[in-house]
Amino acid sequence: MYSEKVLDHFQNPRNVGEIENPDGVGQAGNPKCGDIMKIYLRVENEVITDIKFKTFGCASAIASSSMATELVKGRNIDEAWNLTNSAVAEALDGLPPVKMHCSVLAEEAIHAAINDYRRRKGLPVLEGKEYDHEHDHAHQH
Amino acid sequence: MSRQVYLDYAATTFTAPEVVSAMTPYFTQSFGNPSSIYSFSESNRKAMGIARQQVADVLGAAKEEIFFTSGGTEADNWALKGVAWRNRSKGNHVITTKIEHHAVLHTAQFLQENGFEVTYLDVDAEGRVRLEDLKNAVTEKTILVSVMFANNEIGTIQPIAEIGAFCREKGIIFHTDAVQAVAHVPIDVKAMNIDLLSLSAHKFYGPKGVGALYVRKGIKIDNFMHGGGQERGKRATTENVAGIVGLGAAIELTASRMKDASSRVGKLRNMLIDGVMKVIPHAKLNGAPVSERLPNNSNFSFIGIEGETLLLDLDGAGIYASTGSACSSGSLDPSHVLMAIGLSHEQAHGSLRMTLGEETSEEDIRYVLSVLPAIVERRRAMSPLWEDFLKNTQGGK
């Protein structure tokens, strides 16, 4: 069902935890769907120098969080904004179709954290791509 | 060899070696079509008759009241559709519950799409149907009540005799999906006033792909499959002789062991529940107290963790269990059963079912108890829900 990479990131997730006094925090998902992702950022000179996550969710949600944090760590904050869910899924060697929404959550959680950082900096928040989660799920029946 | 612990007996059991031995001759030697009149097929006809009697004996039914099917799902489909269509001149109302297996629920929905009205009864926090609710739901159009004998997820045993007595008094046909209960808890269709009952061989150490529907003499039901004259014309198709022989052998074997098995398995299950509740903080036992649930069933919720995560971690430790989380099924909502007993989405997503059986040992349970707490702790440590839960419970004090 899952690729080796998904299982690896599920079993040995990278960047798990919290950052004290973070420069940005964002959360996506809701308990109803069974996924919540929370991302903490440390930003120095517009570069994400540290990132941590906490995730409630299935294996692909944990693996997507882990992979997404790896993909944006060390990146410029604007580059990090451009991380897409499909890039996360691709880096994991794919996700089962019913689990693609997990990669969407990772994108949204990172967007939420970056916007929190921007808010704190007095910068205008950015508009992320809109996803319809109920709709995503409805297709999986 | 690393340890393997199978704790999903409610999903399916292995086929008992004795049962396999009983079946084998009907694949290779005694392979004749039971409908052929020559003497070569006589032994097959006889073997099916014995199996029918074995099933009837365990249920307290007559041989003529047992009809073989391809399994529990078919038996449920047949019971609901067959009774509803055959009796629609008397009324179009069917009553069932919110915690039925999908074989009943989705069939009931199909009936709704075809002009029937269906009431889905609520259950209490332990998963029990209240007789009062049933009484209040009945109308003069009610033709069928279908309430499962014991729930497949939480193991709660329903007040079947009370429901049966009430339906008989009202002249309403009563069906029970007893797939999880047959040969595991005592059943007497006559004493319990059951009109139809579904069962499946692979839940009691028989083969997959074979089951039966008990239909009380005099109950009117449409034929299920049209074709030849098999199963007295009610369910055509060349019989699965080896499977039917396996069903008969399995039901007799498992029922004969019922008393000892349920006390042995029940003790291990209690040890598992006690251990989990003691060692894992904020664990919740879902369902009824142990005296009112199937002896092999345990179902927990661990707030803060999602069920699929638990299953995969347990799988990594060689333990095979099941969950009511949505992620395991690919649908939005978690288990309808856990939602019906009032669990929050978080609790339902974090559920773990472990069902024990014939080969479960005390060592197995000790092993699970040595592995599970660390898995729960590790996954909770990376869960934002657990973090919130701790803050809220501490803040609330």
Side-chain angles (χ1 to χ4, degrees):
Chain A
M1 177 179 182
Y2 288 128
S3 71
E4 291 284 324
K5 268 212 180 133
V6 172
L7 288 175
D8 176 37
H9 277 262
F10 165 65
Q11 276 146 7
N12 312 293
R14 281 62 143 178
N15 306 311
V16 178
E18 295 167 45
I19 294 174
E20 272 192 46
N21 306 315
D23 298 309
V25 185
Q27 187 168 308
N30 69 65
K32 207 180 160 206
C33 302
D35 302 292
I36 301 174
M37 239 175 247
K38 198 169 180 182
I39 299 273
Y40 298 82
L41 296 178
R42 166 83 58 236
V43 184
E44 285 162 35
N45 302 321
E46 301 294 294
V47 171
I48 297 174
T49 54
D50 198 10
I51 180 164
K52 296 274 190 229
F53 82 87
K54 273 198 169 182
T55 291
F56 164 79
C58 57
S60 53
I62 290 170
S64 294
S65 321
S66 168
M67 181 54 85
T69 58
E70 283 223 306
L71 289 173
V72 299
K73 197 171 177 177
R75 295 276 197 94
N76 177 284
I77 200 89
D78 296 328
E79 278 171 27
W81 178 268
N82 292 325
L83 176 79
T84 61
N85 80 295
S86 45
V88 174
E90 261 169 52
L92 288 167
D93 291 338
L95 285 170
V98 298
K99 302 286 189 176
M100 279 305 285
H101 71 276
C102 293
S103 62
V104 170
L105 276 184
E107 178 187 320
E108 290 180 335
I110 285 179
H111 280 174
I114 291 174
N115 268 335
D116 183 52
Y117 165 77
R118 294 179 64 92
R119 230 175 270 119
R120 293 175 192 217
K121 280 268 172 184
L123 297 166
V125 297
L126 302 170
E127 287 273 321
K129 195 174 156 192
E130 292 266 339
Y131 292 96
D132 178 351
H133 292 280
E134 299 279 329
H135 190 70
D136 276 355
H137 276 281
H139 266 291
Q140 295 156 16
H141 281 280
Chain B
M1 260 300 276
S2 59
R3 199 174 183 90
Q4 293 208 333
V5 179
Y6 181 79
L7 288 176
D8 207 11
Y9 281 84
T12 193
T13 63
F14 60 89
T15 307
E18 301 93 314
V19 171
V20 176
S21 305
M23 292 170 70
T24 309
Y26 296 93
F27 289 109
T28 50
Q29 296 152 26
S30 204
F31 62 85
N33 190 321
S35 298
S36 304
I37 57 159
Y38 35 67
S39 56
F40 178 56
S41 288
E42 185 55 33
S43 60
N44 288 7
R45 284 191 287 273
K46 234 184 202 160
M48 288 199 306
I50 291 169
R52 214 180 292 279
Q53 189 65 56
Q54 286 167 319
V55 174
D57 286 347
V58 169
L59 301 178
K63 196 175 156 186
E64 295 69 32
E65 296 172 314
I66 305 302
F67 297 88
F68 296 119
T69 68
S70 65
T73 293
E74 184 189 317
D76 286 340
N77 268 264
W78 185 8
L80 267 72
K81 291 180 206 166
V83 167
W85 255 282
R86 183 61 186 266
N87 296 277
R88 66 189 183 282
S89 62
K90 294 182 191 135
N92 70 339
H93 183 224
V94 175
I95 300 174
T96 185
T97 80
K98 288 186 175 166
I99 61 161
E100 297 298 311
H101 189 275
H102 284 129
V104 166
L105 280 183
H106 289 168
T107 306
Q109 283 162 17
F110 174 77
L111 290 176
Q112 276 179 296
E113 289 159 14
N114 286 276
F116 290 91
E117 280 172 32
V118 181
T119 302
Y120 299 91
L121 298 176
D122 285 316
V123 292
D124 66 20
E126 293 175 347
R128 227 174 284 105
V129 172
R130 286 167 291 232
L131 199 60
E132 273 315 298
D133 289 351
L134 172 62
K135 287 180 178 171
N136 292 334
V138 166
T139 72
E140 69 275 15
K141 285 183 173 172
T142 309
I143 51 171
L144 173 66
V145 170
S146 180
V147 177
M148 70 198 323
F149 204 103
N151 183 264
N152 50 307
E153 291 188 42
I154 53 176
T156 304
I157 298 171
Q158 300 298 337
I160 292 299
E162 286 87 337
I163 296 170
F166 170 74
C167 289
R168 186 64 56 87
E169 183 199 313
K170 289 275 171 188
I172 300 166
I173 297 173
F174 174 43
H175 165 252
T176 185
D177 171 353
V179 163
Q180 292 290 335
V182 167
H184 297 296
V185 292
I187 296 178
D188 185 328
V189 290
K190 297 285 180 267
M192 292 172 164
N193 289 304
I194 296 166
D195 294 318
L196 300 109
L197 177 147
S198 306
L199 62 88
S200 177
H202 76 103
K203 307 291 190 184
F204 48 76
Y205 307 96
K208 292 165 185 64
V210 62
L213 180 66
Y214 152 79
V215 184
R216 185 169 69 87
K217 195 165 178 266
I219 293 295
K220 291 193 166 55
I221 182 167
D222 270 356
N223 298 343
F224 190 64
M225 287 212 279
H226 307 276
Q230 294 91 350
E231 300 300 292
R232 291 193 281 139
K234 290 194 171 306
R235 201 259 185 190
T237 194
T238 297
E239 298 90 339
N240 171 12
V241 179
I244 288 167
V245 168
L247 167 62
I251 200 168
E252 188 180 88
L253 176 76
T254 310
S256 73
R257 292 176 178 167
M258 186 195 298
K259 224 177 153 193
D260 290 345
S262 60
S263 108
R264 190 191 76 86
V265 164
K267 270 181 207 149
L268 293 178
R269 188 273 316 270
N270 295 350
M271 176 183 160
L272 176 64
I273 291 177
D274 293 346
V276 166
M277 299 305 287
K278 202 156 140 197
V279 180
I280 301 180
H282 301 289
K284 182 183 184 313
L285 177 68
N286 299 318
V290 292
S291 59
E292 290 168 64
R293 65 197 293 158
L294 290 171
N296 76 332
N297 173 284
S298 70
N299 189 309
F300 304 95
S301 280
F302 303 111
I303 193 79
I305 322 180
E306 194 278 329
E308 191 207 62
T309 293
L310 264 179
L311 289 201
L312 287 173
D313 282 342
L314 286 170
D315 187 8
I319 299 166
Y320 310 121
S322 122
T323 177
S325 163
C327 267
S328 65
S329 66
S331 67
L332 172 64
D333 289 318
S335 150
H336 62 282
V337 176
L338 299 179
M339 297 307 286
I341 61 171
L343 262 59
S344 66
H345 278 86
E346 294 93 314
Q347 287 171 324
H349 279 296
S351 76
L352 176 69
R353 180 186 75 175
M354 291 183 277
T355 46
L356 291 63
E358 201 56 37
E359 294 207 328
T360 311
S361 68
E362 198 175 322
E363 254 180 34
D364 289 339
I365 301 303
R366 277 210 202 92
Y367 175 65
V368 172
L369 290 172
S370 74
V371 166
L372 183 61
I375 290 175
V376 170
E377 196 183 333
R378 173 167 181 251
R379 291 299 173 185
R380 273 178 170 170
M382 58 180 82
S383 166
L385 265 187
W386 178 242
E387 186 188 318
D388 293 347
F389 176 80
L390 285 182
K391 269 181 210 153
N392 291 338
T393 46
Q394 280 156 9
K397 272 179 193 167

